[in-house]
DNA sequence: TCAACTTCGTGAAGTCCTTCACGAAGTCGT
DNA sequence: ACGACTTCGTGAAGGACTTCACGAAGTTGA
């Protein structure tokens, strides 16, 4: 299969760089930048690995996808590698970003220095709240959503960041795509559906905590999950009242879960339920590994 | 191998749930919560998959790791599954969190409703800046860093969120670990090194954009990377100046060894100019897939 | 009770990624 | 020059997920 793999890779023209590697390039870039700032000239895969918190073999493998730069017995030329990775990530031309939803999180992101320092320029902030229009964050004024199309075109923006509540996310997403955006970073807790050709990456802060919680759960309280409680297997009477209920530990974490008065904020209808929903997922491009770190302020 | 796989899994005692699956459980949880709110009683893997933006096969596989709940011909009981996943994620007991670094991003996170609504309670905000002490964010007052130990113990906190600048991150991390924290969510752009037993998850907003940039680069400007520019291959005269300096970069990165006043900035191949440097990681637990969404506000 | 359906559960095959291991290519000291 | 070292590059083996595919179990309607 190796034969096939390589063939496929080569056939894809340039870039046969695996996703996992792409997700790590920014990491190397950061370390290399730091080294360059200290006037360090060369770096070995071993050193680079330690600084990035990984293994040297992985570093070499990753870098090998970019070509065989690097000198045996010495290591890699910091400056050269830096430029090579930046080029690979398409950071040689400065990229513009439009951010929608200047609420709590959006506000913080708009002022986040890490974007600017790494080549991303937020050229527009959009929001529907009249009270926020005009407000300036990080030197950029908040504009009404209606100006999206004009701003995107005028600034040749290709990346959009969504920080709106979940209910508005899909609509905003659709509009961004129509306006010409082809890459989206989504902070809203909902799965966006987009046409092929558009990439979406999701970031959910609460999920990160939940994952930590999972591991936390099996550290402490070793036993814990003794017998999983009644699996409610066979039980036929499902129709009756809510079956599980009894062992319902999902508790508060969700806040209200009033099964009673249905209607509830019927609003969204969201994606679920009406199966037909819409463009199934799939199109969501790669998006797998996720890493990196913020840069408080 | 299958035999071995299973054996290994079983041997690990409870929980042989693969990391990739763990990373998706929060996603299912969110969808299920939404369904429960609408009084939906059962859901099929197909419907769940569409709502989560994935395939039904994956959903079934994932859920099968939790046990064989689910009724053929019908689907899964929403309430039961909800409780089962919450339990698996250890969300049955409410988890407390301490956040360090109430700057731009930290401030936003402290007020982030998504944490509260999903079972995480921020019980303490810490910062070194005297001006921020006392300020209240999301109902919690900012305390001086020195109170960390006391607050962590008093509230039985096990999860820490680091939103400090990269330079302070490792020190804060060490202190959190000493105080008893065993899970850390790191937003600082640096690889933290922690003792085994402590989990660290990293979130770097800029990296997400860089990954998008990578894909963006091969969409548009098809050709682009014409000839990669001089690989600097063969060039013998690398020695240039002090060779010694060049082949001992490893310490440099940790301690910094600003040997000459050289050109700095020259590297500029791109608009980047990052920051950071760091210590090894290794213990960083799994951490791979990343999903979910935020919840503006 | 039975036939027609739906939907789960899961071995097996297929992919992608990581780790191993070692030859090749350079550097360094004498 | 030459031997002793370093450190890269990479095939190959090993793992971890994902996707496929289909039998089993359960539901519904006549």
């Amino acid at each position: 299969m190796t034969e096939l793999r390589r063939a496929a890779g080569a056939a894809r023209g340039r870039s046969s760089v695996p996703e996992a590697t792409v997700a790590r390039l920014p990491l190397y870039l950061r370390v290399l930048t730091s080294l360059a700032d200290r006037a360090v000239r060369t770096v070995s895969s071993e050193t680079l690995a330690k600084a990035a918190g990984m293994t040297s073999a992985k570093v070499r493998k990753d870098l090998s996808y970019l070509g065989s730069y690097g000198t045996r017995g010495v290591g890699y030329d910091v400056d050269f590698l830096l430029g090579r990775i930046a080029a690979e990530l398409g950071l040689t031309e400065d990229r513009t970003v439009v951010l929608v939803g200047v609420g709590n999180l959006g506000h913080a992101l708009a002022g986040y220095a890490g974007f600017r320092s790494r080549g991303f320029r937020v050229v527009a902030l959009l929001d529907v709240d009249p009270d926020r229009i005009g407000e300036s964050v990080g030197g950029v004024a908040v504009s009404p959503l209606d100006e999206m199309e004009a701003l995107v075109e005028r600034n040749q923006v290709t990346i959009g960041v969504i920080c709106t509540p979940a209910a508005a996310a899909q609509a905003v997403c659709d509009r961004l795509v129509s306006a010409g955006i082809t890459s989206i970073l989504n902070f809203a807790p909902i799965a966006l559906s987009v046409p092929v050709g558009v990439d979406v990456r999701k970031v959910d802060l609460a999920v990160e905590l939940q994952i930590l919680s999972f591991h936390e759960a099996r550290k402490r309280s070793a036993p814990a999950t003794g017998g999983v409680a009644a699996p409610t297997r066979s039980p036929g009477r499902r129709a009756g009242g809510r079956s599980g209920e009894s062992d319902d530990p999902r508790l508060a974490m969700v806040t209200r879960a009033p099964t009673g008065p249905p209607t509830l904020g019927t609003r969204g209808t969201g994606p679920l339920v009406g199966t037909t929903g819409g463009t199934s997922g799939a199109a969501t491009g790669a998006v797998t590994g996720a890493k990196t770190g913020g840069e408080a302020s």
Side-chain angles (χ1 to χ4, degrees), chain A residues 134-160:
Chain A
E135 177 185 356
S136 179
V137 184
V140 181
V142 177
S143 306
L145 203 56
D146 294 318
E147 291 178 24
M148 179 196 290
E149 288 74 12
L151 287 167
V152 168
E153 179 165 20
R154 189 190 317 153
N155 298 288
Q156 291 278 299
V157 185
T158 56
I159 300 178

Side-chain angles (χ1 to χ4, degrees), chain A residues 18-50:
Chain A
E19 268 302 303
T21 294
V22 171
R24 282 188 294 266
L25 290 180
L27 193 61
Y28 301 143
L29 190 60
R30 209 168 52 204
V31 174
L32 289 169
T33 299
S34 173
L35 290 172
D37 282 347
R38 289 171 199 162
V40 174
R41 292 264 171 48
T42 63
V43 61
S44 68
S45 60
E46 185 61 38
T47 303
L48 194 46
K50 280 205 175 112

Side-chain angles (χ1 to χ4, degrees), chain A residues 16 79 111 114 165 173 199 240 286:
Chain A
S16 57
D79 285 343
C173 172
D199 284 313

Side-chain angles (χ1 to χ4, degrees), chain A residues 206-221 224-225:
Chain A
V207 167
E208 294 300 323
L209 286 184
Q210 293 179 308
I211 294 174
L212 282 176
S213 176
F214 172 87
H215 295 299
E216 195 61 41
R218 30 228 83 208
K219 282 182 196 166
R220 228 156 300 292
S221 61
T225 329

Side-chain angles (χ1 to χ4, degrees), chain A residues 10 22 32 40-41 48 55-56 73 84 99 112 126 151 178 181-182 185 210 217 238 244 253 263 266 268 270 276 297:
Chain A
V22 171
L32 289 169
V40 174
R41 292 264 171 48
L48 194 46
T55 72
S56 61
R84 192 66 198 69
L99 188 157
Y112 181 52
L126 304 169
L151 287 167
S178 297
I181 293 303
T182 48
L185 181 52
Q210 293 179 308
R238 165 157 288 116
M253 60 165 295
T263 39
T266 354
T276 45
S297 137

Side-chain angles (χ1 to χ4, degrees), chain A residues 105-232:
Chain A
L105 184 60
H107 201 282
L109 292 178
Y112 181 52
F115 288 162
R116 198 13 143 351
S117 75
R118 294 199 232 169
F120 295 94
R121 196 158 51 87
V122 178
V123 299
L125 299 179
L126 304 169
D127 204 305
V128 289
D129 185 343
D131 295 337
R132 296 202 189 110
I133 308 294
E135 177 185 356
S136 179
V137 184
V140 181
V142 177
S143 306
L145 203 56
D146 294 318
E147 291 178 24
M148 179 196 290
E149 288 74 12
L151 287 167
V152 168
E153 179 165 20
R154 189 190 317 153
N155 298 288
Q156 291 278 299
V157 185
T158 56
I159 300 178
V161 178
I162 297 178
C163 298
T164 68
Q170 185 62 60
V172 166
C173 172
D174 293 342
R175 195 161 170 183
L176 282 171
V177 172
S178 297
I181 293 303
T182 48
S183 289
I184 293 175
L185 181 52
N186 178 35
F187 284 88
I190 186 178
L192 298 174
S193 73
V194 297
V196 288
V198 175
D199 284 313
V200 175
R201 286 192 69 81
K202 221 187 319 178
V203 175
D204 188 322
L205 310 174
V207 167
E208 294 300 323
L209 286 184
Q210 293 179 308
I211 294 174
L212 282 176
S213 176
F214 172 87
H215 295 299
E216 195 61 41
R218 30 228 83 208
K219 282 182 196 166
R220 228 156 300 292
S221 61
T225 329
V228 182
T232 313

